[in-house]
Amino acid sequence: SRKDITGFLIQLPFPVKGEIYKLFNLISEIKDVDGLNAINLGKIWQGDKTAFYPATVLAVIECLRYVASNLPVS
């Protein structure tokens, strides 16, 4: 495992014929930025906080939390 690479993602849609899941599972679960390999998906579905949750999803959730906490109360 290369120490100079801290995260890895696959830009989707990806022009691959066959099962793209095989490609997802080639990514180490500790460098899986999108949380797409089988180990991270399983951890996410089980609510395991050690999973590498998808960065985009976490960013959207954080934006929604910020907006919700800054709405004026009427």
Side-chain angles (χ1 to χ4, degrees):
S1 178
R2 289 181 50 176
K3 294 181 191 232
D4 62 324
I5 298 175
T6 57
F8 193 87
L9 62 91
I10 298 172
Q11 183 65 46
L12 299 174
F14 191 76
V16 157
K17 293 187 181 196
E19 295 184 35
I20 194 162
Y21 303 108
K22 291 178 183 177
L23 183 61
F24 295 157
N25 288 324
L26 292 175
I27 304 170
S28 165
E29 70 270 10
I30 61 172
K31 295 185 180 188
D32 179 20
V33 174
D34 282 329
L36 294 174
N37 74 10
I39 293 171
N40 277 325
L41 283 174
K43 287 180 176 182
I44 290 168
W45 277 98
Q46 293 175 0
D48 186 335
K49 300 299 181 194
T50 66
F52 204 129
Y53 283 75
T56 304
V57 173
L58 290 177
V60 169
I61 290 170
E62 189 61 31
C63 288
L64 291 172
R65 282 187 183 141
Y66 175 81
V67 169
S69 67
N70 289 293
L71 287 174
V73 178
S74 53

